[in-house]
Amino acid sequence: TRRQRPFIASISSPSKKQANTLLPASPTDERIVMTLFSFSNATVHCEGSSSSSSSSSTNGNSDGTMSTATMDAPASASIGSIGSSSSKDTAGVKAEEPPKPAAKPDSAVKSFLSGGVGGACVVAVGHPFDLVKVRMQTSNLQESTFGVLRKTFAKEGIPGLYRGVTAPLTAVTPVFALSFWGYDMGKRAVKAADRSTTLNPGESYKFTIPQLVVAGGLSAIPTTLAMAPSERIKCLLQVQANEVEKGGKGKYSGMVDCGRAIYKEGGVRSLYRGTVLTLMRDVPGSMAWFGTYELVKKELMHLQGIDPDTGSLSPLAVLAAGGFAGMACWSIAIPPDVLKSRYQTAPEGMYSGLGDVYSHLMKEEGPSALFKGMRPAMIRAFPANAACFLGMEVAREALAFMD
């Protein structure tokens, strides 16, 4: 028992000094103890080597074990490095922005109401010139535009210049409202028909000038439903005023009486007499009207360095664009407008149709008759349509909350 205690101590302690001190005297026992001591020391060495290879630094204690700090350090460093790399990756990748909502089209109600305001402005500014135009187209007057205007004002005053204004004011206001509403619907139809353009989320559709011209032509279709009857009533009242001026007697007491008489004469068909001619005038005229306005507006914005998507033109520039649009419209619309005026104001049964009106006109007055009234129409076109587009744009700004 006494000799076994140093033996146990030599195994439990790796110190060579302790082993030499406690070695037994027997040579056989000495060899056994030294063999076991060498085995124990080699085992501790192997454990220390494997620990140092699996961690960045090993702290060997006197008993051959590794300290907790040494084992935890690499784990902490490893976790820290993972965290830092993860944060770097997060910082490097931008957070995805939520998709922008699709650009909404303008409110159709806003287009309708703002168009009505524009129509009222057209009548207020252009009716006196329209009166002169119709009188020149339906008679053999050889006077100048301002001569007829001056003569009418001298004999009838301001009320004479606005004779028959109730019919266009009542009808033209909703007609222009329908026109701008139809233009908005036409743009939607053109956009829907375009399969070649792909929009990103939130991006607004960019119309080309040819597309806007087509949309303008489509706008004339709904307006004709309201335009044809009111145009006939207006023309009849203006021609009647011309006959009264010459000493004749008026047939109609006003717009309602005129409409009632026309209906009794031939029903709804009589009210819509000249509808085809109205379409022949308004489809190409509207194409020129809207197309020219958009083109001039675009060029003016380019010249002034204004972004079409975010900026707006000055009132003077809008007046200029609207005026040129009106002149472009009437330069195309005058020939069918002459035929329409003749057909709508002629007695029932005088003409069998459009071809008959044209042949009579060519035979009696020649090709120049197709451009009769061009001067008053062009003089009227600039201020009336300038006022129309300005009134429309102001109304659109005021009604922007409806989008």
Side-chain angles (χ1 to χ4, degrees):
T1 305
R2 185 176 179 182
R3 294 184 59 179
Q4 286 179 351
R5 288 179 182 172
F7 175 70
I8 295 171
S10 65
I11 295 175
S12 63
S13 175
S15 174
K16 192 173 182 179
K17 184 178 180 182
Q18 289 179 356
N20 292 331
T21 307
L22 299 175
L23 284 175
S26 172
T28 304
D29 290 342
E30 182 180 357
R31 285 195 297 269
I32 294 171
V33 171
M34 290 303 297
T35 303
L36 291 176
F37 174 78
S38 301
F39 176 77
S40 175
N41 197 25
T43 304
V44 173
H45 177 72
C46 290
E47 288 179 358
S49 301
S50 64
S51 298
S52 62
S53 64
S54 62
S55 60
S56 59
S57 63
T58 305
N59 185 14
N61 290 332
S62 60
D63 58 355
T65 61
M66 288 183 296
S67 68
T68 305
T70 338
M71 294 181 65
D72 290 347
S76 302
S78 175
I79 294 171
S81 63
I82 292 171
S84 61
S85 63
S86 175
S87 62
K88 287 178 182 178
D89 293 342
T90 306
V93 179
K94 292 182 179 179
E96 291 186 3
E97 296 181 359
K100 296 179 181 178
K104 292 174 62 178
D106 288 343
S107 167
V109 177
K110 185 181 82 169
S111 299
F112 183 86
L113 295 176
S114 59
V117 173
C121 294
V122 167
V123 175
V125 175
H127 187 77
F129 296 99
D130 189 64
L131 175 74
V132 172
K133 174 181 71 70
V134 172
R135 289 188 177 182
M136 292 180 71
Q137 287 177 344
T138 55
S139 66
N140 293 321
L141 290 173
Q142 301 298 322
E143 296 183 63
S144 66
T145 301
F146 287 102
V148 176
L149 197 63
R150 186 168 52 251
K151 188 176 180 181
T152 303
F153 178 74
K155 288 187 175 182
E156 304 176 49
I158 296 294
L161 292 175
Y162 284 90
R163 188 178 297 279
V165 74
T166 308
L169 191 60
T170 304
V172 168
T173 299
V175 161
F176 272 78
L178 277 173
S179 179
F180 281 95
W181 174 82
Y183 181 54
D184 186 57
M185 294 298 105
K187 289 198 292 184
R188 295 187 189 194
V190 167
K191 178 182 175 182
D194 183 9
R195 303 295 182 183
S196 61
T197 304
T198 304
L199 297 178
N200 296 322
E203 184 181 1
S204 59
Y205 186 83
K206 301 253 187 318
F207 290 96
T208 63
I209 296 300
Q211 286 177 320
L212 296 173
V213 168
V214 172
L218 294 174
S219 72
I221 297 173
T223 60
T224 303
L225 297 174
M227 179 70 78
S230 65
E231 279 282 305
R232 186 161 190 225
I233 293 172
K234 180 197 72 174
C235 290
L236 286 172
L237 289 175
Q238 289 177 344
V239 171
Q240 174 183 279
N242 198 25
E243 292 175 355
V244 169
E245 185 182 339
K246 295 178 180 178
K249 187 177 180 181
K251 185 178 179 181
Y252 311 110
S253 60
M255 181 187 72
V256 176
D257 184 53
C258 181
R260 189 183 296 116
I262 293 172
Y263 183 78
K264 285 181 180 179
E265 187 180 280
V268 175
R269 184 177 180 181
S270 181
L271 277 172
Y272 278 89
R273 187 178 179 184
T275 299
V276 175
L277 284 165
T278 304
L279 275 173
M280 288 178 61
R281 179 194 70 178
D282 288 349
V283 170
S286 295
M287 293 173 76
W289 197 51
F290 284 109
T292 303
Y293 177 72
E294 297 289 354
L295 178 62
V296 174
K297 188 171 75 168
K298 180 181 177 182
E299 292 301 320
L300 288 174
M301 282 186 167
H302 178 71
L303 289 173
Q304 297 180 21
I306 300 173
D307 184 2
D309 295 330
T310 57
S312 58
L313 284 174
S314 64
L316 187 61
V318 172
L319 287 171
F324 285 119
M327 294 180 74
C329 171
W330 281 105
S331 64
I332 295 174
I334 277 292
D337 188 62
V338 171
L339 296 174
K340 180 190 73 68
S341 296
R342 292 291 179 99
Y343 186 63
Q344 287 182 326
T345 58
E348 190 72 29
M350 181 175 178
Y351 300 115
S352 60
L354 171 61
D356 195 27
V357 178
Y358 178 77
S359 58
H360 272 78
L361 192 65
M362 293 297 101
K363 184 179 179 180
E364 295 173 5
E365 302 179 46
S368 61
L370 286 172
F371 297 93
K372 209 168 186 180
M374 172 71 82
R375 186 175 296 175
M378 298 303 284
I379 293 173
R380 167 188 176 272
F382 196 97
N385 289 278
C388 170
F389 279 102
L390 180 61
M392 181 273 297
E393 293 287 2
V394 170
R396 285 177 72 87
E397 290 292 332
L399 299 173
F401 65 91
M402 300 182 71
D403 286 333

